Amino acid sequence: SQQGEEDPQALSIQEGENATMNCSYKTSINNLQWYRQNSGRGLVHLILIRSNEREKHSGRLRVTLDTSKKSSSLLITASRAADTASYFCAPGDAGGTSYGKLTFGQGTILTVHP
Amino acid sequence: DTEVTQTPKHLVMGMTNKKSLKCEQHMGHRAMYWYKQKAKKPPELMFVYSYEKLSINESVPSRFSPECPNSSLLNLHLHALQPEDSALYLCASSQAGTWGNEQFFGPGTRLTVL
């Protein structure tokens, strides 16, 4: 599977502001997933967007997917200190397997200051 | 129950010890994964089990030996580890399918090899 590349590597904002992070990938996908990891903990799945979808929402999260540009963005609106975490994207390659092999990029470290 | 449990939470072992990490899920998932995560790095896939059979071994050294005794349990047996094997070991599970599925992660076992 291919690795996503997140940008920026680090993002520091104030509580209440919006945070946008981007993910680029190289080859065709059938889905792309975003995960969050609080310091030293397990990963939490945020959103899965399929290749035939352009936008998806979940609470304060909005994910977009542009397959022509091979990129995705994650927007967190009205950020909170509890959103401080590392965010990873994981592109899912097109093609059939009986499991979802994920390759995580280096991630974006988001710090939200109270 | 949407939880993946891992035991122990912390483990300190010498290079001559034999120990095991355990992972359990009761979501009916038929794909289970082991990841290794070094500090400030993304998780790296080690092994994938699909329908209790080893499907992927990402060229992991033989001192790591996975086992999937049944569809709910996943073990990682450790023997003759090196200090550089110190890391957070994460277990995950998902439905097995071809369209990419959300992975549920456990909190991890923090391993220190002396």
Side-chain angles (χ1 to χ4, degrees):
Chain A
S1 65
Q2 63 181 306
Q3 183 178 39
E5 292 184 17
E6 294 91 346
D7 172 70
Q9 292 185 336
L11 183 57
S12 181
I13 60 174
Q14 295 295 129
E15 221 168 18
E17 294 180 339
N18 295 342
T20 299
M21 52 204 86
N22 304 296
C23 171
S24 60
Y25 56 91
K26 291 185 167 54
T27 60
S28 295
I29 60 171
N30 68 35
N31 70 84
L32 185 142
Q33 302 185 45
W34 284 91
Y35 286 82
R36 182 189 76 224
Q37 184 178 33
N38 294 91
S39 180
R41 304 287 296 169
L43 279 75
V44 174
H45 182 266
L46 297 177
I47 284 184
L48 182 153
I49 186 166
R50 301 206 182 277
S51 58
N52 61 353
E53 298 175 309
R54 291 297 167 258
E55 187 170 312
K56 206 161 181 180
H57 295 255
S58 177
R60 294 183 295 113
L61 306 181
R62 181 174 77 110
V63 167
T64 60
L65 179 64
D66 187 335
T67 53
S68 67
K69 295 181 179 178
K70 293 187 172 54
S71 67
S72 175
S73 67
L74 170 66
L75 168 67
I76 305 173
T77 59
S79 63
R80 306 166 180 167
D83 295 327
T84 294
S86 294
Y87 291 81
F88 298 96
C89 71
D93 289 339
T97 60
S98 62
Y99 40 78
K101 180 176 175 179
L102 298 179
T103 303
F104 295 99
Q106 295 301 306
T108 293
I109 300 173
L110 173 65
T111 303
V112 182
H113 299 281
Chain B
D1 183 0
T2 60
E3 190 180 23
V4 175
T5 59
Q6 289 188 244
T7 56
K9 290 184 180 177
H10 301 273
L11 178 62
V12 179
M13 60 186 291
M15 290 189 285
T16 59
N17 292 155
K18 285 185 181 181
K19 297 286 185 183
S20 296
L21 309 185
K22 294 181 186 292
C23 174
E24 189 167 6
Q25 56 88 15
H26 295 287
M27 293 176 277
H29 291 165
R30 302 304 296 275
M32 296 187 76
Y33 312 78
W34 280 115
Y35 291 85
K36 173 183 177 180
Q37 187 177 24
K38 302 281 279 184
K40 299 188 187 302
K41 296 290 186 183
E44 294 181 349
L45 184 66
M46 299 174 71
F47 303 103
V48 180
Y49 273 83
S50 179
Y51 297 98
E52 294 87 67
K53 294 192 186 311
L54 183 63
S55 299
I56 291 180
N57 176 341
E58 292 285 91
S59 303
V60 179
S62 60
R63 57 186 184 267
F64 296 91
S65 176
E67 178 195 22
C68 190
N70 60 55
S71 59
S72 300
L73 292 174
L74 186 65
N75 298 321
L76 186 62
H77 303 297
L78 314 173
H79 173 55
L81 294 192
Q82 303 298 309
E84 59 264 29
D85 297 321
S86 298
L88 181 68
Y89 288 84
L90 295 163
C91 172
S93 70
S94 75
Q95 293 180 0
T98 59
W99 289 99
N101 293 295
E102 170 187 358
Q103 291 189 18
F104 291 78
F105 282 79
T109 293
R110 187 160 300 281
L111 174 67
T112 302
V113 181
L114 301 176

